[in-house]
Amino acid sequence: WVVTITRDGSGATVASGTQVVIVLTDVTNQQHEGSSGTFPLFKTTLSDGTTAIDESSAESDAIGTVPPAVTFTPSGFGGTTPTIVPVSLVAGATTTATVTFTTGNPWTNDGKLIFEVPNTFTNVAAASVAITSGIDGGFSVAQTGTTTTLASTLKTAGGPWVVTITRDGSG
């Protein structure tokens, strides 16, 4: 994207040393966390649009600096808190869990969903995914964590488990 803001000829010449602040509306950030990358071109020009007055860019006649990158944070699931709810809430039951979330940005067809199950759960052995709404395609499931039996109490403890659901690129 190259944005050109053209002054309309009204107003005064901006004196050297003046800080100018301009607000652009309707700029959509990248749709994932991370660096934007540097802004490769920034300059003021005469009315011909090519004769530079001040320039900070990667062009050969510039001073060699470019406006720095900015770092974006991830979206917050569209402002809706994700939920993970076991179908059975009976202690010790082996059950399924329903995972519900609203995307704040597009989720690619080869992306991953990663969540951690607290170590208060006895075991997580998720091997498959059943989709009920909002998504299509294929998936694989993996989890980390181990189950340990505590000899003195015969209780089982483990985790925390990290569950990774990976979209396979279809759909």
Side-chain angles (χ1 to χ4, degrees), residues 6 16 19 65 71 99 108-109 119 121-122 124 126 161-162 165:
T6 303
S16 62
Q19 180 183 28
T65 60
T71 301
V99 177
T108 60
N109 68 354
N119 64 4
F121 281 74
T122 304
V124 176
W161 286 269
V162 176
I165 300 172

Side-chain angles (χ1 to χ4, degrees), residues 12-101:
T13 298
V14 178
S16 62
T18 302
Q19 180 183 28
V20 176
V21 177
I22 296 172
V23 177
L24 297 176
T25 60
D26 299 317
V27 176
T28 303
N29 295 339
Q30 67 190 32
Q31 295 178 325
H32 54 85
E33 70 177 328
S35 175
S36 65
T38 59
F39 292 81
L41 174 66
F42 192 94
K43 65 182 172 180
T44 58
T45 69
L46 297 177
S47 63
D48 65 7
T50 58
T51 307
I53 299 170
D54 286 320
E55 184 171 357
S56 178
S57 75
E59 292 182 350
S60 62
D61 63 345
I63 61 173
T65 60
V66 294
V70 296
T71 301
F72 295 103
T73 59
S75 175
F77 287 102
T80 304
T81 302
T83 60
I84 303 170
V85 180
V87 172
S88 171
L89 297 177
V90 174
T94 298
T95 185
T96 58
T98 301
V99 177
T100 304
F101 63 96

Side-chain angles (χ1 to χ4, degrees), residues 97-113:
T98 301
V99 177
T100 304
F101 63 96
T102 301
T103 57
N105 283 304
W107 183 22
T108 60
N109 68 354
D110 60 352
K112 298 175 186 280
L113 170 64

Side-chain angles (χ1 to χ4, degrees), residues 84 114-119 160-163:
I84 303 170
I114 302 170
F115 56 90
E116 186 171 333
V117 178
N119 64 4
W161 286 269
V162 176
V163 178

